Amino acid sequence: MKAILTFVALALIASSGSAATTGAILSVSQKGLSGWLNDFESTIKNILNDLKIPDVDKDGLKLFDMHTFDFDGDFSESLSSDKGIELSSSFKIRLHMHYDYHNGIIHTGGECDFQLKGAELSVSAVLEGDNGKLKLGNTDADVSAKELEPSCDGVSGAIINVIVKLFNSEISDELGKLGKTAILQALNSYVGPALSKIDLDFPITDDFALVRFDVNKVTFTSQLFSASLLGDCVNKKNPQDPPGTLPPPNMPNWDATVGKDLDVQIALSAWSLESALYTYVRAGRLSKVIPHNVIPSSSPVQLNTTDMSVFAPALKLKYPNMWMQLNLTVNQSSVVIIANKYVNASLPSILKLQIVDDKNSSIIDGFDLLLNLDISFSVSVVSKNKTEYLAANINKATFTASLIKSYVGPVVLLPSFINLLEVLVQSTIIPDANKVLNGGFLPLPSSSQVELEESFIGYRDSYLVIGSNIKITP
C-alpha cells in the first residue's frame, strides 16, 4: 500500500500558496505506473484471498465457513482520461467450505474445495487536487465470476458436487459483491484518509525556507498521469508569494526527446529558481564576507589599508596599517535564464570594501561597488537524506563593476581593482558556492520510498526537464 501513496506523494504537496501559478509539472508514464502499483496489487490479492462468504441454507443443504484462498492471476495497469488509474486481472481462485446435507434419507457432511474459474476484476480511481492536497475522486471496482467448479471427493462429495452446482450463480454473485465492497472499502477508508495527510513541503536551510509543490490540477490521458504544481520557494515563517522576474513558461506534460521509456518526468521552470533567489535575497541570506586571510601571505598584494590605498589613496592616511574585508550581498532583482545546456543567473550585487577596526571592534565602510555578476552552471540530480535534490556546479562567472559611493575620497585604477576581485571570485567565492550546490540545493518531488535512477536533464527555453526511472523501496 505504501507504493500507491508514494505514487501520489510524488505529485502533490500540501501548503498555502497560490493555486494559479504552475512552476513545475510532474508526469508519470504508463511504464512508471506499474512499479508504483505493485504494492496495492498485493493488497487486492490479500483481500480476495480471504473473503468470507455468508452461509447458504436452502433445500436441506447448508454451506458454511466459506472463504477464498489461493489467488492466481496477473494484473495489468492502464490510464484513461475518464477513469484515471485502472487495474484489471483475469484470475482463478479457490473456495473452501463446510457442508451439511439432509433430505430425510441422506445425511452427510464434510468440507471440500472448489475452483472459481473465469473470474475477472477491475479497479479504477481518479485522483483530484483539493486546496493543494490530493484527494481520492471517483472510485469503482468490479469482481465477477463465471463458473464455480466443485471438486469434492468420495461418494458424498459427488452428491454435493451435483447439488452445489444449483447454487453456482448465487455463490459467484455473492463473491463478486463481497470482493467489490472490500476493495472499495480499502480505497476509501485507508488510501483516501492517508492521502489527505500527505505533506511533502520541503524545509531547507535549517528550516528557514519551504519548497512548495502544491497541486493545481491533475490530468489523465491514456499515456500519462500529470500534476501541475506550484513549485516555489518561500520563507517558512513569512511565506510571501515571490513575484519572479519572468512568468512561469508554458511547459509540456512530457518531452519525448529526454531519454527513452522513462518512468517519470519533472519540468521545473526558471520562475521556480527565481522564487528561491527572491526569498533568500529578501531575507539577506545571499551574502558573504571575505576576510583578509583568504589571500595567501605570500601574495604581493594583501587586503589591508596600505595595499588597497593604490585604489583609494586616503585609506592609509585615515586608517593606517589596518586589515580590510570584502562584504558581498546579492540584490533583490535576480534573473534566471535557462537555455541550451546551461542555467544562467544574473545577480546584481553590492560589494563593500570595509576596514576592520580590531581596536574598537567595529567595521568601517571604505567604498561600495555595484557588481553585475553573471554565473553559468550545469545541473544534476543527487540523493540526500532519502530525498532527491537538484544539484548544480558553477562553470563560469563574469562581472562588471561600477562605483556607487566612496567614504574615503576618490577611487582610482578601478579596472585593476576589478582584476583583483576576479581572482578572489575564482579562488574563493565559486569554490565555496560549489561546495553547497554540488550537494543539492533544491528538493524535487520525491519520498523516502522512491529513488530517481538514470536521470536525464534537458535544458529548454525557460525550464528544465528531469527524466528518470524509479526504484521503489516498499
Side-chain angles (χ1 to χ4, degrees):
M1 187 69 72
K2 289 181 181 178
I4 194 169
L5 298 180
T6 294
F7 165 66
V8 171
L10 283 176
L12 302 168
I13 295 167
S15 68
S16 59
S18 168
T21 302
T22 297
I25 297 175
L26 183 140
S27 296
V28 180
S29 69
Q30 174 69 57
K31 172 177 172 286
L33 178 67
S34 300
W36 270 300
L37 295 181
N38 284 340
D39 201 39
F40 188 62
E41 291 168 1
S42 297
T43 299
I44 294 177
K45 289 181 181 180
N46 291 336
I47 289 172
L48 295 180
N49 262 335
D50 193 31
L51 287 177
K52 304 295 191 295
I53 311 299
D55 296 349
V56 173
D57 191 350
K58 188 176 182 180
D59 297 333
L61 176 65
K62 183 176 182 180
L63 307 178
F64 58 99
D65 290 342
M66 292 186 286
H67 66 88
T68 56
F69 69 103
D70 197 19
F71 178 96
D72 181 16
D74 295 321
F75 286 87
S76 61
E77 304 86 8
S78 62
L79 294 165
S80 72
S81 58
D82 56 340
K83 293 185 178 181
I85 302 169
E86 294 182 280
L87 298 176
S88 60
S89 177
S90 297
F91 66 96
K92 298 177 183 179
I93 198 166
R94 297 179 69 79
L95 176 67
H96 184 79
M97 68 174 64
H98 290 76
Y99 63 89
D100 184 86
Y101 179 63
H102 188 204
N103 69 354
I105 300 175
I106 300 174
H107 185 193
T108 183
E111 58 183 289
C112 60
D113 295 340
F114 294 75
Q115 181 79 43
L116 193 65
K117 293 184 176 180
E120 295 182 351
L121 71 87
S122 62
V123 183
S124 64
V126 173
L127 309 179
E128 299 175 349
D130 183 24
N131 293 322
K133 292 186 177 183
L134 181 73
K135 73 173 184 179
L136 201 58
N138 294 331
T139 60
D140 195 14
D142 184 69
V143 180
S144 62
K146 296 179 180 179
E147 182 181 359
L148 182 66
E149 183 179 281
S151 57
C152 298
D153 297 329
V155 176
S156 61
I159 296 173
I160 295 302
N161 288 343
V162 174
I163 296 174
V164 167
K165 283 186 176 180
L166 300 175
F167 302 99
N168 191 332
S169 176
E170 184 175 343
I171 295 173
S172 298
D173 288 348
E174 189 64 34
L175 188 146
K177 292 176 184 178
L178 290 170
K180 175 177 180 174
T181 300
I183 292 171
L184 288 177
Q185 183 177 6
L187 281 171
N188 293 301
S189 66
Y190 177 72
V191 176
L195 294 179
S196 68
K197 296 177 182 178
I198 290 175
D199 184 354
L200 292 182
D201 289 350
F202 293 95
I204 58 175
T205 318
D206 298 325
D207 225 27
F208 159 69
L210 199 64
V211 179
R212 309 182 301 184
F213 289 98
D214 298 12
V215 63
N216 294 331
K217 185 179 180 181
V218 179
T219 57
F220 290 91
T221 70
S222 61
Q223 301 295 323
L224 297 173
F225 163 92
S226 296
S228 58
L229 311 172
L230 176 58
D232 71 354
C233 178
V234 296
N235 186 323
K236 186 175 181 180
K237 293 182 179 180
N238 184 21
Q240 296 183 18
D241 290 332
T245 304
L246 300 173
N250 292 322
M251 298 176 288
N253 289 341
W254 194 266
D255 188 333
T257 65
V258 179
K260 293 182 178 180
D261 300 324
L262 296 175
D263 295 339
V264 63
Q265 281 191 4
I266 302 168
L268 187 68
S269 68
W271 178 88
S272 297
L273 300 179
E274 282 186 351
S275 75
L277 281 173
Y278 172 87
T279 296
Y280 278 74
V281 168
R282 186 168 59 89
R285 289 268 182 156
L286 288 187
S287 61
K288 182 177 178 59
V289 173
I290 304 171
H292 71 88
N293 55 14
V294 301
I295 299 177
S297 58
S298 58
S299 172
V301 179
Q302 294 294 310
L303 197 53
N304 57 37
T305 54
T306 300
D307 291 351
M308 293 300 104
S309 65
V310 173
F311 310 110
L315 275 174
K316 66 180 180 180
L317 299 176
K318 289 186 176 183
Y319 308 102
N321 301 315
M322 299 178 72
W323 290 114
M324 302 191 73
Q325 68 180 24
L326 299 176
N327 191 334
L328 179 66
T329 302
V330 179
N331 276 356
Q332 191 130 320
S333 55
S334 301
V335 178
V336 175
I337 297 174
I338 301 175
N340 186 27
K341 296 187 178 180
Y342 72 92
V343 179
N344 182 268
S346 297
L347 307 174
S349 307
I350 302 296
L351 179 70
K352 290 180 173 290
L353 187 69
Q354 299 173 320
I355 299 98
V356 180
D357 187 351
D358 291 326
K359 183 178 180 180
N360 297 306
S361 300
S362 63
I363 301 297
I364 305 167
D365 288 335
F367 58 85
D368 301 342
L369 298 179
L370 173 64
L371 297 187
N372 293 307
L373 181 62
D374 286 303
I375 62 172
S376 295
F377 54 90
S378 55
V379 296
S380 60
V381 176
V382 298
S383 181
K384 181 172 63 174
N385 299 326
K386 296 185 178 181
T387 300
E388 306 303 316
Y389 283 78
L390 190 69
N393 187 78
I394 298 174
N395 302 317
K396 183 180 179 181
T398 60
F399 64 88
T400 60
S402 59
L403 181 66
I404 298 176
K405 184 176 182 179
S406 174
Y407 306 89
V408 292
V411 175
V412 297
L413 301 177
L414 189 57
S416 298
F417 183 73
I418 293 173
N419 291 337
L420 177 62
L421 285 181
E422 187 170 354
V423 173
L424 291 174
V425 167
Q426 299 296 336
S427 63
T428 301
I429 296 177
I430 291 179
D432 287 351
N434 278 337
K435 287 179 182 178
V436 176
L437 298 174
N438 289 174
F441 67 97
L442 187 72
L444 298 172
S446 59
S447 81
S448 59
Q449 283 90 39
V450 173
E451 181 180 350
L452 301 182
E453 294 187 318
E454 303 171 4
S455 296
F456 298 86
I457 304 290
Y459 297 81
R460 301 294 180 261
D461 185 14
S462 298
Y463 65 94
L464 296 169
V465 179
I466 303 155
S468 293
N469 288 318
I470 296 298
K471 179 181 179 182
I472 301 291
T473 303

